[in-house]
Amino acid sequence: MPLLELARGPALAFSIAVLVFGLAWRLYGILRYPARVDYSEPRRRDLAAGGLRAIFAKMAPPKNVKVRAAAMANAYAYHLGLAVVVFGFAPHIAFFERYTGIGWPALPDALIYVAAGVTIVGLLIALLARLTDRVLRLLSSFDDYWSWFVTIAPLATGMALLPAPAEPVAVAIHLLSLELLLVWLPFGKLAHAALVFVSRWRTGVDFTRKGAAV
Amino acid sequence: MNELDFDTPRFTIKKPAVRHDKQGDASDAERSAAAVHAFLRDMTRSAATYMESCIRCGHCAEACHFYVTSGDPQYTPIWKLEPLRQIWKREAGPFSWFHKKLKKPIDSNRLREWQELLYDSCTLCGRCTLACPMGIDIAALVAQARRGMFAAGLVPHELWAVAERAEREGSPLGATPRVLKERIEWLSDEHGVDIALDRPRADVLATLSSVELMKYPQSLVALAKILNRLGESWTFRSDGYEATNFGLFSGNLAWQRDMTLKLVDAAIACGAKTLVLPECGHAYGAMRWQGANMYGKPLPFRVLHISEFLAEAVRAGRLKLKPMQGTVTFHDPCQVSRRGGATGAPREVLAALGAELREMPPAGDASWCCGGGGGVITLHRADEQRYRAFEIKMRQVESSGAQRLATSCSNCRLTFDDGQAHYKWGRKMESLLELVAGSLAAP
Ligand code: SF4
Ligand code: SF4
């Protein structure tokens, strides 16, 4: 089977299956634990609203608590950049549309190139920080470096497709690198794409009951 | 052995000549098995979520006074939980079947190595959660980890000694029922104030921290004056008065429950409608938020921190106060404000006092911990890092520009007094309760 066909067919199906079942298994591994039964008299009862509030509030930098400002700015930059590239680039939208029938207007190519550049530079800076900062070095393990690699790989292989027209082998490599990311996502820190909602929600619910600060 | 130290501003046992930071004679394997069991026994959905959610971004480090004042990466909040993360991954996480093949069970020596991180360098202040983009409640996990450490017999010498004394004598600092009775008689005579003890029926059960009884007895007088002025039907009870809970700090759930249930039983015995907690931060967390869970059902009475009680009285127009002189800044006890949700109460009281409040930046929910909570002040070997952490507090107070400073936690007050003596700092921490009692307007 030619590589592109493999990447577009069985490899894609496999990676999506691993993504879905892996994430489901990881969430089950957490949610199977009982929520704490709390008999204390709640200060507030709008717990679900509190969960949602925490999800949104933590999208902004914390108030009154100093964090690593440069690292946080960089994190905003590469998260946004990644979102723009994944969801705004015309060939990506065409790809989604082919499989799901759902499409949307694309962003101008020039903007995509800027976003991709920002994301790649941002990820390189993040790696440099991880390798040099004493706190990050202590906290880091295989997961952190491998997750970094599988994130930057599709960006790099995607950049290699420019300028069009692209070689089928190069397209296949780009797709396979994306599939590598999808396969790894449920097992390492990239699962924060889903866990961020669960974790903030839990804190929001538990803390709102007490009226405590998130 | 383990004689109490009454001579220094801080309050604990005398510095042990030889430290015993291991309890019992269990083998290493038994210790690790006990730690694993205790840690996993308390696993809830929130804790499990947190164990899976850290993205290793390091932001929490900047929120922790122990990291900020030392620059030592091992004080990064989430790093304090590293052995637990390993236990979780290997024994109970979603991919434990895989990790079991890769990793050996946790070694008790590794847990012993982590004792300093879990006890000496975490005040359970919860400031790191504010910085964490995932909202991980690290303080709650540290408390859970301490339960594992207690089960393994790996509690620091002083904390174990005071917790054991609290369980045996009813108070961590020698405030036995006999001492309580004697002190109350003495304080009543000395100050000419009626301090109710062991009334069979009362609407309000007053409780205290033994730090107050032994170190700041004027707090009891202040409380009595206010309750008498309000015309409350109230009492202290010698069968349930000690609101500090060293079961919680040390990580012994059974002791924590015993200590809580003494207060619950005393409140029920006198038919109290309200249990008023003293100026103590962790007593608030232990009773207001964990009390009913220790009891196993909702409590048949309300639980209020003294600052909330005072704020309610102010709001209802029941407490008339003379205006206070000068400017004041308020130090938020972490367990009452940030983690307890009662940040507004002391500010309402200060407003009623007519005080010009000069907040120290940052104040309220984001305020820095004094460095002595979570049992840290009892540990001699943590002194150096505690004093370093206290430097932040001194800077905060100075930058507020206020003439006076007040708090609503006797443990914070103790930490301030000790820090003040250490640095020969010309500031004196005052008690909100005592400020109110000193400003009662003539009836
Ligand atoms: S709870 Fe407070 S002391 Fe403990 S790690 Fe977090 S910031 Fe540091
Ligand atoms: S801030 Fe939160 S997510 Fe980041 S390292 Fe600390 S605990 Fe982990």
Side-chain angles (χ1 to χ4, degrees):
Chain A
M1 184 188 296
L3 203 57
L4 186 55
E5 228 170 89
L6 175 81
R8 282 194 173 145
L12 182 64
F14 173 76
S15 64
I16 289 175
V18 172
L19 174 77
V20 171
F21 287 108
L23 261 186
W25 177 256
R26 182 134 177 211
L27 290 174
Y28 166 74
I30 295 168
L31 301 177
R32 74 195 175 95
Y33 285 91
R36 191 168 52 116
V37 183
D38 196 336
Y39 296 110
S40 65
E41 176 66 22
R43 190 186 301 279
R44 295 178 63 153
R45 293 178 190 273
D46 55 338
L47 305 190
L52 291 175
R53 267 197 307 272
I55 289 175
F56 288 106
K58 283 217 172 265
M59 284 181 184
K63 279 189 262 130
N64 299 329
V65 180
K66 209 177 124 257
V67 284
R68 304 164 153 236
M72 188 160 275
N74 186 35
Y76 277 115
Y78 66 71
H79 277 87
L80 278 171
L82 209 54
V84 167
V85 172
V86 171
F87 298 109
F89 192 36
H92 294 165
I93 298 169
F95 180 82
F96 283 114
E97 201 166 6
R98 177 149 17 112
Y99 289 96
T100 63
I102 305 167
W104 55 89
L107 292 169
D109 282 359
L111 183 66
I112 302 295
Y113 300 151
V114 172
V118 166
T119 309
I120 289 179
V121 172
L123 285 171
L124 287 170
I125 292 172
L127 178 67
L128 202 68
R130 198 163 282 289
L131 289 168
T132 52
D133 181 276
R134 290 172 72 211
V135 167
L136 294 180
R137 266 199 5 222
L138 183 69
L139 293 180
S140 299
S141 62
F142 169 78
D143 178 19
D144 298 281
Y145 297 108
W146 180 246
S147 294
W148 180 89
F149 174 74
V150 301
T151 307
I152 203 160
L155 279 158
T157 57
M159 293 296 264
L161 295 182
L162 309 171
E167 291 286 322
V169 175
V171 176
I173 291 174
H174 178 50
L175 257 179
L176 287 170
S177 66
L178 167 75
E179 286 152 10
L180 180 66
L181 181 144
L182 298 183
V183 165
W184 175 247
L185 192 142
F187 305 106
K189 68 186 282 191
L190 294 180
H192 76 272
L195 287 168
V196 67
F197 301 105
V198 190
S199 183
R200 289 177 183 175
W201 166 270
R202 292 251 44 101
T203 308
V205 168
D206 291 354
F207 282 35
T208 297
R209 189 189 170 86
K210 298 196 283 185
V214 294
Chain B
M1 68 163 215
N2 294 330
E3 224 183 299
L4 289 169
D5 182 1
F6 291 102
D7 305 327
T8 53
R10 77 104 92 76
F11 211 3
T12 177
I13 58 166
K14 290 214 156 98
K15 189 170 185 172
V18 182
R19 297 192 61 87
H20 297 287
D21 295 315
K22 255 189 194 184
Q23 295 78 40
D25 46 17
S27 68
D28 285 350
E30 286 165 341
R31 284 181 199 275
S32 0
V36 170
H37 174 76
F39 175 59
L40 296 179
R41 179 196 57 204
D42 295 340
M43 194 49 77
T44 59
R45 192 171 294 164
S46 294
T49 305
Y50 297 146
M51 294 316 291
E52 288 291 310
S53 295
C54 176
I55 50 169
R56 317 313 263 179
C57 65
H59 287 298
C60 50
E62 306 300 328
C64 180
H65 40 292
F66 293 119
Y67 170 78
V68 168
T69 52
S70 69
D72 184 342
Q74 66 164 340
Y75 294 138
T76 302
I78 199 68
W79 186 248
K80 298 171 189 174
L81 294 161
E82 188 56 19
L84 297 175
R85 203 168 84 106
Q86 288 172 14
I87 292 175
W88 160 258
K89 276 176 123 175
R90 186 182 185 278
E91 314 294 341
F95 306 112
S96 57
W97 44 271
F98 176 73
H99 290 283
K100 269 203 172 83
K101 293 196 170 61
L102 284 187
K103 302 218 173 82
K104 291 208 199 83
I106 192 99
D107 178 351
S108 80
N109 289 323
R110 187 152 169 81
L111 293 174
R112 168 65 193 83
E113 279 166 29
W114 245 260
Q115 191 186 77
E116 280 85 348
L117 293 181
L118 287 168
Y119 287 97
D120 307 32
S121 37
C122 182
T123 52
L124 308 176
C125 76
R127 197 166 188 274
C128 42
T129 299
L130 300 187
C132 175
M134 303 297 279
I136 296 175
D137 186 357
I138 294 172
L141 293 174
V142 169
Q144 188 171 339
R146 287 185 179 188
R147 295 200 278 276
M149 294 293 277
F150 197 105
L154 293 172
V155 181
H157 185 129
E158 298 91 330
L159 201 48
W160 194 87
V162 288
E164 190 275 335
R165 185 188 289 266
E167 174 69 3
R168 184 165 36 84
E169 292 187 348
S171 157
L173 301 171
T176 60
R178 190 176 54 81
V179 171
L180 172 76
K181 196 160 178 287
E182 285 169 6
R183 293 228 152 190
I184 283 185
E185 279 168 11
W186 162 64
L187 289 167
S188 295
D189 289 348
E190 178 106 353
H191 297 270
V193 55
D194 182 20
I195 306 181
L197 179 66
D198 288 333
R199 294 212 172 121
R201 309 293 299 167
D203 290 341
V204 174
L205 176 69
T207 61
L208 54 85
S209 150
S210 48
V211 172
E212 292 174 329
L213 191 66
M214 307 306 272
K215 218 67 177 175
Y216 308 117
Q218 62 276 26
S219 267
L220 271 67
V221 177
L223 180 63
K225 277 186 181 164
I226 293 167
L227 290 169
N228 291 342
R229 176 63 59 85
L230 289 171
E232 293 285 0
S233 134
W234 73 281
T235 188
F236 281 118
R237 299 264 313 192
S238 54
D239 54 356
Y241 56 94
E242 174 64 86
T244 66
N245 197 316
F246 274 76
L248 181 150
F249 280 164
S250 60
N252 186 320
L253 207 54
W255 290 357
Q256 180 182 345
R257 185 171 295 119
D258 287 350
M259 292 168 195
T260 295
L261 292 186
K262 270 193 188 161
L263 296 187
V264 173
D265 291 343
I268 292 173
C270 67
K273 297 189 190 83
T274 307
L275 186 151
V276 175
L277 292 166
E279 292 198 306
C280 175
H282 83 271
Y284 188 66
M287 180 54 83
R288 174 66 179 89
W289 297 115
Q290 297 187 33
N293 300 327
M294 296 291 132
Y295 185 51
K297 53 187 170 186
L299 295 171
F301 48 81
R302 293 198 314 151
V303 178
L304 293 178
H305 186 256
I306 180 65
S307 59
E308 292 177 297
F309 180 82
L310 293 172
E312 272 196 11
V314 163
R315 232 175 286 144
R318 296 172 63 215
L319 203 55
K320 297 280 177 273
L321 301 170
K322 291 183 292 204
M324 199 184 119
Q325 295 307 312
T327 52
V328 63
T329 191
F330 185 77
H331 164 72
D332 286 273
C334 307
Q335 305 302 326
V336 183
S337 290
R338 174 167 44 247
R339 291 184 70 72
T343 316
R347 289 170 173 80
E348 278 185 65
V349 178
L350 285 168
L353 277 167
E356 187 193 330
L357 178 63
R358 298 234 176 123
E359 296 278 22
M360 37 182 136
D365 294 336
S367 180
W368 289 94
C369 173
C370 65
V376 171
I377 192 156
T378 61
L379 304 175
H380 290 277
R381 73 179 177 200
D383 283 355
E384 201 187 313
Q385 68 208 50
R386 175 168 61 82
Y387 288 134
R388 261 200 322 256
F390 187 69
E391 289 176 14
I392 300 183
K393 223 50 243 191
M394 291 194 294
R395 279 198 297 275
Q396 269 200 292
V397 170
E398 294 303 346
S399 69
S400 75
Q403 294 157 325
R404 302 171 77 171
L405 69 144
T407 190
S408 202
C409 169
S410 52
N411 195 61
C412 297
R413 191 178 179 187
L414 201 62
T415 307
F416 269 81
D417 282 358
D418 190 53
Q420 181 219 11
H422 180 79
Y423 286 104
K424 306 199 172 24
W425 185 40
R427 294 291 202 143
K428 185 85 191 134
M429 177 53 90
E430 299 184 75
S431 132
L432 181 71
L433 170 66
E434 289 169 32
L435 286 180
V436 170
S439 303
L440 288 175

